[in-house]
Amino acid sequence: MKRFALALCVPLLAPGFALAAGQSHEAAPMMAPAQKPLTDEDLKEDRAAAQRTESADVIIARFKGAFGDQPPRMAVFWNRAFDDQVSDWSSNTRGVVSTRGSLNGEVPDGNVNLQAQGQAAAQGEYRSNRQKGPAGPAFELQSGLVSQMVEAGVTVVDRAAIMRITDNALETGEFSRLSPDQRRLEMRALGEHADMLLVFREVTSDQFQVEVLDVRNGSIRVMLSSNGVPPEKAGSNRWKATDRGFQKVEQTVTLDEIGRELALQTLAKLSS
């Protein structure tokens, strides 16, 4: 008969540890640091804070490195919406003009009556008023954005110009070419003369929402929401020496500077 020996290994606990294990501990209270309530001035400073940390030279160098010798051609929609409407013709109403007529006659030998009726209808369509998007940015804002894009190597094309060029190339002298569909002509012009489309989705007094689309496949390349404040103008106030000592004055940002800043932030996202 075989016998087996069973050995139990029990670790020895230090007396202090065993005593501590047998005692219950209350949960330590979680104390959050006191938070200062936000004021209108704090919110104003947050809105005016800079949103770019890299220098303009770094952004432009990275952008040129990303696109190499083929910088994109970009069209900009300043004051019009880019939506899903594919034609500027509308047919919500229809006008119908109809005519009827009859023809009676006899065949001399067979005494057979001949009767004929005809009906013609015409449908009238109209073009709705061309709806524009939000109020277009000022000329200084456009100038700043275009200048910065051109410095980075981007070719900025004008919507009206490429539409005229495209329409002129398609002109054959036929009557149907006298009144082309503007929406389809616009998309054809973008496809032939631009690679990307920059759209201002919303423009407010202190916020700009910009979207960049790939014209070839419709993909969204960039979505940007920014106040357009350059880093060097991030402080909302500055000190100015006056005859009554130093006084705080509001830091001003020009529309040209905002346009350049929006361009730099867009270039940074395109090359990231």
Side-chain angles (χ1 to χ4, degrees):
M1 179 176 176
K2 293 184 180 180
R3 295 182 178 179
F4 297 92
L6 179 62
L8 296 178
C9 295
V10 179
L12 297 178
L13 301 178
F17 181 83
L19 180 61
Q23 295 177 350
S24 62
H25 297 276
E26 295 182 359
M30 301 297 292
M31 298 296 294
Q35 298 290 333
K36 175 187 173 184
L38 291 176
T39 63
D40 292 340
E41 188 66 23
D42 294 331
L43 296 175
K44 182 179 179 181
E45 290 180 359
D46 289 342
R47 289 194 299 267
Q51 298 173 282
R52 173 172 59 90
T53 57
E54 296 178 307
S55 67
D57 293 337
V58 171
I59 292 175
I60 293 177
R62 187 172 72 245
F63 178 80
K64 290 182 177 180
F67 287 91
D69 297 332
Q70 294 182 336
R73 301 169 299 172
M74 184 177 296
V76 183
F77 272 21
W78 297 108
N79 59 348
R80 61 176 50 248
F82 189 74
D83 50 31
D84 59 355
Q85 184 177 343
V86 298
S87 174
D88 65 331
W89 289 98
S90 300
S91 57
N92 297 330
T93 61
R94 176 178 298 180
V96 178
V97 178
S98 62
T99 59
R100 289 185 179 181
S102 61
L103 175 65
N104 297 323
E106 293 183 354
V107 177
D109 296 334
N111 193 25
V112 178
N113 287 331
L114 297 177
Q115 293 184 349
Q117 286 186 338
Q119 181 174 351
Q123 176 177 329
E125 293 182 337
Y126 70 96
R127 286 185 176 181
S128 58
N129 294 330
R130 297 179 186 175
Q131 297 179 353
K132 295 185 177 181
F139 180 83
E140 291 80 6
L141 176 65
Q142 301 178 30
S143 175
L145 187 142
V146 171
S147 298
Q148 188 63 73
M149 288 290 187
V150 171
E151 289 180 15
V154 178
T155 300
V156 183
V157 299
D158 179 74
R159 173 186 175 274
I162 61 176
M163 287 183 65
R164 285 174 175 267
I165 293 171
T166 303
D167 181 69
N168 187 66
L170 296 173
E171 183 59 57
T172 60
E174 298 178 358
F175 177 77
S176 60
R177 291 289 311 133
L178 298 180
S179 183
D181 187 287
Q182 298 296 311
R183 294 273 180 152
R184 291 190 171 91
L185 178 62
E186 178 182 74
M187 284 307 303
R188 179 157 187 164
L190 289 173
E192 293 180 358
H193 298 279
D195 303 308
M196 300 180 187
L197 172 62
L198 187 151
V199 183
F200 278 89
R201 288 298 184 188
E202 186 175 350
V203 179
T204 61
S205 60
D206 59 355
Q207 200 72 17
F208 302 88
Q209 294 183 6
V210 178
E211 189 175 26
V212 179
L213 308 173
D214 192 310
V215 174
R216 295 164 297 182
N217 55 27
S219 62
I220 300 176
R221 299 293 298 270
V222 166
M223 294 190 72
L224 174 68
S225 180
S226 172
N227 55 15
V229 178
E232 59 272 14
K233 294 292 186 72
S236 59
N237 296 299
R238 63 186 177 89
W239 291 98
K240 181 179 180 180
T242 67
D243 55 358
R244 296 182 298 276
F246 287 93
Q247 293 183 353
K248 274 188 176 182
V249 295
E250 190 74 17
Q251 182 80 299
T252 59
V253 182
T254 66
L255 287 174
D256 182 84
E257 292 172 330
I258 291 176
R260 286 183 171 273
E261 181 63 22
L262 292 175
L264 285 172
Q265 293 184 24
T266 302
L267 293 173
K269 283 206 168 188
L270 281 173
S271 58
S272 60

